């Protein structure tokens, strides 16, 4: 059995989140990113003899997108040979194309069991996109942008107030107020530290659409080792409420200084999932290089002689191509 490190991207609009919603390993649950990936891995040749079960590094909510997310999975076949990673990519992405999934497997790397996609991750970076009309009551929207960018209707939105408000979240903070109560008895660590939380001017995703000229585009950049459930969407929602002058900086400060699940200000609405994108996961490249299984580090073969293995693999591929 060999561990494979996966990098994958997705448009999250049609999915119920990245994590499977069912506990049974025999239910595919392809309405989630994890479920669809595990179903796709069942199509690789030679067929895995154990059902793939992916360990995710970051669990994004329903509707959230990812330019790059990661995970690892352990695969074993009856020949006990190492899979060719380009073949895994081809079979998995062919499955996604045929089934209409908006998911792509970007990279697949065999690694030793010392490497863990979640615990080896040093930081996670998200952006949250939003747009503001240049003139009042502008409703003509670029449809591509609306799938990935939150539309703020107010043309007098105070962007400087928001930019200043990001500083309230920097440093070591207790984010209990910025996450819903847990559904389990698992002990949570609510004290976190953001590496980066900044507001930057951005661009339209489709510059040749003339409708995009009617708006100004911005995104929040948020980087930390890890985040609580809904934390970023609540922080962004609070800052959007600040820019709309529904709340003050003092209201945000109170939620941070008096952390409680009951202290969430009801005037704030968490930002919509569609504007949130996971854009990068940082790993120690030396650790990853050390744990990577190179082509010449073959897994000990057992069973059939190599010529017969190749013949049977080719027959399986031809069967799948029919």
């Amino acid at each position: 059995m060999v561990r494979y490190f996966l990098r994958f991207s997705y448009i999250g609009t049609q999915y119920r989140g990245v994590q499977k919603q069912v506990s049974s390993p025999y239910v595919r649950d392809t309405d989630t990113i994890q479920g669809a990936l595990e179903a796709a891995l069942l199509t690789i040749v030679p067929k895995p003899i154990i059902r793939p079960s992916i360990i995710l590094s970051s669990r994004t909510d329903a509707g959230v997108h990812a330019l790059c997310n990661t995970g690892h999975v352990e695969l074993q076949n009856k020949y006990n040979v190492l899979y060719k990673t380009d073949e895994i990519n081809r079979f998995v992405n062919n499955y996604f194309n045929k089934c209409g999934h908006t998911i792509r497997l970007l990279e697949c790397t065999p690694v030793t069991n010392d490497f863990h996609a979640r615990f080896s991750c040093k930081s996670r970076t998200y952006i949250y996109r939003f747009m503001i009309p240049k003139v009042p009551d502008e409703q003509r929207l670029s449809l591509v942008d609306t799938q990935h960018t939150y539309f703020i209707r107010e043309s007098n939105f105070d962007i400087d107030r928001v930019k200043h408000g990001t500083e309230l979240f920097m440093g070591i903070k207790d984010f209990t107020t910025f996450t819903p109560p847990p559904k389990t008895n698992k002990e949570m660590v609510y004290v976190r530290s953001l590496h980066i939380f900044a507001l930057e001017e951005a661009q339209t995703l489709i510059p040749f659409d003339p409708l995009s000229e009617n708006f100004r585009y911005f995104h929040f950049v948020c980087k930390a080792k890890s985040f609580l459930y809904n934390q970023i969407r609540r922080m962004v929602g609070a800052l959007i409420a600040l820019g709309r002058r529904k709340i003050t900086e003092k209201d945000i400060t109170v939620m941070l200084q008096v952390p409680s699940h009951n202290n969430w200000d009801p005037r704030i609405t968490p930002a919509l999932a569609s504007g949130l994108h996971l854009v990068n996961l940082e790993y120690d490249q030396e650790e990853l290089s050390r744990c990577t299984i190179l082509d010449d580090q073959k897994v000990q073969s057992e069973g059939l002689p190599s010529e017969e293995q190749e013949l049977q693999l080719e027959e399986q591929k031809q069967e799948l191509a029919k």
Side-chain angles (χ1 to χ4, degrees), residues 113-124:
N113 289 347
D114 297 335
F115 187 83
H116 194 286
R118 182 181 175 192
F119 300 132
S120 297
C121 186
K122 302 302 181 184
S123 70
R124 295 157 174 85

Side-chain angles (χ1 to χ4, degrees), residues 243-288:
R244 286 171 164 162
R245 299 187 179 276
K246 289 184 177 181
I247 63 171
T248 66
E249 288 189 3
K250 183 178 179 181
D251 295 318
I252 296 177
T253 300
V254 168
M255 289 191 291
L256 289 167
Q257 291 185 350
V258 188
S260 169
H261 295 302
N262 300 318
N263 201 26
W264 177 250
D265 194 315
R267 293 172 294 176
I268 304 171
T269 302
L272 295 177
S274 57
L276 187 59
H277 302 70
L278 175 58
V279 296
N280 188 47
L281 294 100
E282 183 181 4
Y283 291 89
D284 184 332
Q285 289 304 310
E286 290 186 5
E287 179 189 8
L288 182 55

